[in-house]
Amino acid sequence: MLEQIGPDIWVMDGPHVVAAAGFHYPTRMTIIRLGNGDIIVISPIAFSVETLNAVLALGPVMHLVAPNALHHLALGDWMAACPNAKTYAAPRLQTKRRDLIFTCELGDVSPWPKEVDTVLMAPHLIADEVVFFRRASGTAVFTDLIQQLPRGWYRGFRGLIARFDLMQSDPPTVPRKFRMGFLNRRASKAQVTRLQAWDVQRMVMAHGPIVYVNAAEVLRQAFAWVRP
C-alpha cells in the first residue's frame, strides 16, 4: 500500500528478501513526483500489476533508480513494464547486471538538480550507495547505509551478528560492516558533511522505520563515528 510521507513523496513496502547466509530483509521503495508530474521510483520492490497501477495513479513512471549494487532484483521487471522510463544504476551495477541496459550511471551530479540532490557515498567495499534528498519535502532517502531492524527480527547466530553489526541499533545507525567498507576516509568525511548540510525533516531507509522526529539529529548521530 502506498503511504504518503510528505508533499509529492510516497513509500511502498514489499515482500521480504533473503540475502547471504540466510539473512532476510524487508524491502521498501520510494516514489517521488517531480514538478512536471513525472515519477521517480527509487529501489523498486517486487513487481506486480497492482503495484504498478498504484504508482501510475500518481503519474507516469519516467525514472527507475537502483541506488546501490544490492537493490536491483526487481529492476528488470519494472524496466519491461515501463519501457519509456530512463534507468539509473549505482556504480558497479552495470557490470553485475549485464543483462540490463541502463541509461546512465548515478553519481554526485543529480539527474534532477532543481528538485533532488544526490551524494555518492563511495568508494565502498560492499556497495557504493547514492543518497537522495527531496528538497520540497525535506526528505533524505537511504537504502542500506542506515538501518534499524526491529528487535527479534533475527534469531540464533543471525541475531548475535545483527546486534554486533548494529543493524538493530536505537537510534538508527550505519552498520559496522558498512563503516569498515569505506575505502577513502577523507572522501567519506566530505560526503557526510554534504549530507549533514541538508535541511532534513524526515528520513527514509529501506530497512527501518521512517524517521519523522528530529531527523537531522538522527542523521548526525548515525555518522558521529566519522571524525572531522
Side-chain angles (χ1 to χ4, degrees), residues 29-104:
M29 68 181 180
T30 303
I31 302 100
I32 294 172
R33 183 164 57 199
L34 297 172
N36 65 359
D38 289 353
I39 295 296
I40 306 171
V41 179
I42 300 172
S43 191
I45 59 174
F47 178 83
S48 72
V49 173
E50 293 77 14
T51 299
L52 175 62
N53 287 339
V55 176
L56 288 175
L58 304 175
V61 176
M62 300 305 294
H63 308 278
L64 296 170
V65 178
N68 66 30
L70 302 176
H71 282 238
H72 59 86
L73 297 179
L75 197 59
D77 291 336
W78 281 84
M79 291 170 67
C82 305
N84 294 323
K86 295 180 179 179
T87 54
Y88 306 84
R92 294 186 281 172
L93 182 55
Q94 182 64 85
T95 302
K96 188 174 185 178
R97 292 298 305 268
R98 296 184 184 277
D99 57 314
L100 302 179
I101 299 175
F102 295 96
T103 306
C104 66

Side-chain angles (χ1 to χ4, degrees), residues 33-202:
R33 183 164 57 199
L34 297 172
N36 65 359
D38 289 353
I39 295 296
I40 306 171
V41 179
I42 300 172
S43 191
I45 59 174
F47 178 83
S48 72
V49 173
E50 293 77 14
T51 299
L52 175 62
N53 287 339
V55 176
L56 288 175
L58 304 175
V61 176
M62 300 305 294
H63 308 278
L64 296 170
V65 178
N68 66 30
L70 302 176
H71 282 238
H72 59 86
L73 297 179
L75 197 59
D77 291 336
W78 281 84
M79 291 170 67
C82 305
N84 294 323
K86 295 180 179 179
T87 54
Y88 306 84
R92 294 186 281 172
L93 182 55
Q94 182 64 85
T95 302
K96 188 174 185 178
R97 292 298 305 268
R98 296 184 184 277
D99 57 314
L100 302 179
I101 299 175
F102 295 96
T103 306
C104 66
E105 185 173 276
L106 286 165
D108 274 329
V109 179
S110 171
W112 318 278
K114 294 183 179 179
E115 301 182 59
V116 180
D117 292 330
T118 59
V119 173
L120 173 60
M121 305 296 290
H124 199 277
L125 184 63
I126 299 174
D128 302 336
E129 178 169 317
V130 179
V131 183
F132 302 85
F133 181 63
R134 174 58 164 150
R135 291 194 214 108
S137 61
T139 306
V141 181
F142 289 83
T143 308
D144 292 323
L145 198 55
I146 296 179
Q147 299 181 18
Q148 188 188 35
L149 293 166
R151 302 282 182 177
W153 183 262
Y154 299 114
R155 299 185 182 279
F157 79 93
R158 296 185 186 89
L160 294 174
I161 293 173
R163 286 194 292 275
F164 174 78
D165 193 41
L166 302 178
M167 295 163 64
Q168 299 171 309
S169 174
D170 187 15
T173 195
V174 180
R176 292 186 196 276
K177 60 179 175 291
F178 283 100
R179 297 183 186 193
M180 293 186 293
F182 283 102
L183 300 175
N184 185 328
R185 288 307 174 108
R186 178 176 295 179
S188 64
K189 290 175 184 178
Q191 292 153 9
V192 169
T193 297
R194 292 181 58 200
L195 295 180
Q196 295 179 341
W198 290 339
D199 182 18
V200 177
Q201 305 299 314
R202 57 183 62 81

